[in-house]
Amino acid sequence: SDLQKQEERGELLQPLIFILLVLCSVLLYFKVSLMDPGFVKSEEEAGKSEEQSMVIPQVASDIKMRRCGYCMVKQPMRAKHCQLCQHCVRRYDHHCPWIENCIGEKNHPFFIIYLSVQLVVLLWGGHVAWSGLYFEQSWDWLQHNIFLLVSFLLIVIFTIVVLLLLISHLYLISCNTTTWEFMSHHRISYLRHSELENPFDQGVVLNLWRFFC
């Protein structure tokens, strides 16, 4: 049959890989959106001051852990309260409206992997859509290709958004900072009173290693 001939020629391998990538992207989406991003719990209050002083000795010693005015837990350094999630999140990066969850200490690496897989899927889908387009200056051509053309334009827009988001996050990770710290540097006490602009930066290689490993 034609299906067997296509299998023998290896023509079914690429669609199979594409479907697996899409499935992987969907599973990563649900994992990032449903998992605990690093919510601060009351039992985590003890023993954080010593840990913080070992990690960032450049931060001024008079900065103390403050109690959150919303959930009343003591916030570890780099934690922030999210009013949408109603929790303080450790190493808070941002609240993502697309996944309806915070990006924090526990799910940030999975978020980066999700963006990477999503970018591959979009680039592949864009290539397939482009290969199916042949341009003619006629109304009849537009009627028959409008769906494919709109799909290609949407893929291009989403690809640009995902690419810029991935690049910005990788840059911040390489500096060992978060979106929240980058955007609100002047309002965060442990950064405002630090002798260094970024007291968490330990070099690109070590920053990436500690984040992903």
Side-chain angles (χ1 to χ4, degrees), residues 50-119:
E50 180 181 353
E51 176 186 345
Q52 291 162 9
S53 63
M54 291 173 60
V55 174
I56 45 171
Q58 301 92 338
V59 175
S61 59
D62 59 341
I63 299 175
K64 299 178 181 179
M65 291 175 61
R66 72 182 188 92
R67 189 173 291 277
C68 176
Y70 296 96
C71 55
M72 302 308 294
V73 299
K74 284 188 177 180
Q75 287 183 336
M77 196 171 288
R78 311 190 79 178
K80 182 183 181 296
H81 183 87
C82 176
Q83 297 192 31
L84 294 174
C85 293
Q86 294 297 310
H87 283 286
C88 286
V89 180
R90 299 186 63 171
R91 204 180 183 279
Y92 175 87
D93 189 87
H94 72 286
H95 183 93
C96 181
W98 301 104
I99 64 172
E100 296 185 358
N101 195 11
C102 282
I103 304 301
E105 184 177 68
K106 291 185 178 180
N107 64 349
H108 201 170
F110 291 102
F111 181 69
I112 298 300
I113 297 172
Y114 164 70
L115 289 179
S116 302
V117 174
Q118 190 67 45
L119 181 61

Side-chain angles (χ1 to χ4, degrees), residues 46-202:
K48 295 299 179 184
S49 298
E50 180 181 353
E51 176 186 345
Q52 291 162 9
S53 63
M54 291 173 60
V55 174
I56 45 171
Q58 301 92 338
V59 175
S61 59
D62 59 341
I63 299 175
K64 299 178 181 179
M65 291 175 61
R66 72 182 188 92
R67 189 173 291 277
C68 176
Y70 296 96
C71 55
M72 302 308 294
V73 299
K74 284 188 177 180
Q75 287 183 336
M77 196 171 288
R78 311 190 79 178
K80 182 183 181 296
H81 183 87
C82 176
Q83 297 192 31
L84 294 174
C85 293
Q86 294 297 310
H87 283 286
C88 286
V89 180
R90 299 186 63 171
R91 204 180 183 279
Y92 175 87
D93 189 87
H94 72 286
H95 183 93
C96 181
W98 301 104
I99 64 172
E100 296 185 358
N101 195 11
C102 282
I103 304 301
E105 184 177 68
K106 291 185 178 180
N107 64 349
H108 201 170
F110 291 102
F111 181 69
I112 298 300
I113 297 172
Y114 164 70
L115 289 179
S116 302
V117 174
Q118 190 67 45
L119 181 61
V120 173
V121 170
L122 286 168
L123 289 172
W124 197 331
H127 172 71
V128 172
W130 177 259
S131 64
L133 284 172
Y134 60 95
F135 294 95
E136 293 181 4
Q137 293 183 352
S138 66
W139 177 249
D140 185 62
W141 175 88
L142 186 61
Q143 285 182 317
H144 286 86
N145 293 273
I146 185 65
F147 178 75
L148 188 60
L149 187 61
V150 171
S151 299
F152 176 74
L153 293 176
L154 287 174
I155 289 174
V156 169
I157 293 172
F158 286 129
T159 300
I160 294 173
V161 172
V162 172
L163 180 61
L164 292 176
L165 191 60
L166 181 60
I167 290 174
S168 64
H169 273 273
L170 288 175
Y171 169 74
L172 294 175
I173 291 167
S174 68
C175 299
N176 197 2
T177 189
T178 64
T179 303
W180 172 58
E181 290 171 341
F182 181 78
M183 300 294 292
S184 306
H185 188 280
H186 60 287
R187 296 193 291 112
I188 301 174
S189 58
Y190 59 80
L191 294 179
R192 191 171 66 247
H193 295 97
S194 173
E195 296 177 0
L196 301 176
E197 183 177 355
N198 180 12
F200 305 103
D201 189 7
Q202 296 179 304

Side-chain angles (χ1 to χ4, degrees), residues 1-12:
S1 64
D2 293 338
L3 191 62
Q4 288 178 332
K5 292 179 180 178
Q6 287 179 335
E7 184 179 1
E8 291 174 357
R9 293 195 298 265
E11 295 177 359
L12 296 181

